[in-house]
């Protein structure tokens, strides 16, 4: 699992979140005992998130499967309103010698 997380971080992927039930998998054991887990998620780059800022991932329930269906829906932006771009700071940027210069230029 550590290698998987490392690959996600190295590729600059982010979990885009979801709408709907928290768990995407249900295992029903004997005597009514249930195991619920969030196994499914959607990952995207920041560029994709900024390009498709109105995209929403929905967890949908299904009576035919023990997994939730995932539906990625795109909502149109309301006319006249501009959505702010999401900004996230990466601490690794501090290791770049140009970081201070870029910040000072942007704030100036």
């Amino acid at each position: 699992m550590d290698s998987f997380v490392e690959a996600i971080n190295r590729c600059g992927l982010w979990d885009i979140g979801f709408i709907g039930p928290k768990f995407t998998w249900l295992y029903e054991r004997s005597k009514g005992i249930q195991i619920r887990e969030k196994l499914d998620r959607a990952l995207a780059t920041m560029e994709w998130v900024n390009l498709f800022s109105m995209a929403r991932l929905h967890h949908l329930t299904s009576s035919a499967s023990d997994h939730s269906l995932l539906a990625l829906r795109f909502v149109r932006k309301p006319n006249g309103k501009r959505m702010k771009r999401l900004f996230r700071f990466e601490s690794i940027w501090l290791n770049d010698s140009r970081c201070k210069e870029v910040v000072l230029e942007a704030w100036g």
Side-chain angles (χ1 to χ4, degrees), residues 26-36:
L26 169 67
Y27 177 69
E28 188 108 19
R29 298 180 80 173
S30 62
K31 300 180 185 173
I33 297 173
Q34 293 182 343
I35 298 173
R36 297 171 184 239

Side-chain angles (χ1 to χ4, degrees), residues 2 5 7 14 21 25 29 38 44 51-54 58 64-65 69 74-75 80-81 85-86 89 92 97 101 105:
D2 290 338
V5 171
W14 298 88
W25 179 74
R29 298 180 80 173
K38 181 181 177 189
L51 188 59
F52 300 104
S53 61
M54 299 301 288
H58 294 262
S65 175
L69 301 171
F74 296 87
V75 180
K81 290 186 179 180
R85 284 191 153 197
L86 183 62
F89 179 77
I92 197 163
S97 60
E101 177 187 326
E105 184 179 320

Side-chain angles (χ1 to χ4, degrees), residues 1-3 41 57 59 68 71 75 82 84 89 96 99:
M1 196 60 180
D2 290 338
S3 297
R41 61 191 68 224
L57 181 71
H59 291 176
S68 295
V75 180
R82 196 162 175 217
K84 272 189 160 183
F89 179 77
D96 191 316
C99 181

Side-chain angles (χ1 to χ4, degrees), residues 5-76:
V5 171
E6 183 182 330
I8 289 170
N9 291 335
R10 185 171 288 158
C11 293
L13 298 175
W14 298 88
D15 188 324
I16 67 169
F18 65 93
I19 297 169
K22 180 178 179 179
F23 302 108
T24 62
W25 179 74
L26 169 67
Y27 177 69
E28 188 108 19
R29 298 180 80 173
S30 62
K31 300 180 185 173
I33 297 173
Q34 293 182 343
I35 298 173
R36 297 171 184 239
E37 295 288 340
K38 181 181 177 189
L39 298 180
D40 308 295
R41 61 191 68 224
L43 303 172
T45 63
M46 262 301 116
E47 291 81 9
W48 189 95
V49 170
N50 289 329
L51 188 59
F52 300 104
S53 61
M54 299 301 288
R56 299 294 179 263
L57 181 71
H58 294 262
H59 291 176
L60 307 174
T61 57
S62 170
S63 60
S65 175
D66 58 355
H67 279 271
S68 295
L69 301 171
L70 301 182
L72 187 61
R73 296 183 177 150
F74 296 87
V75 180
R76 292 181 185 218

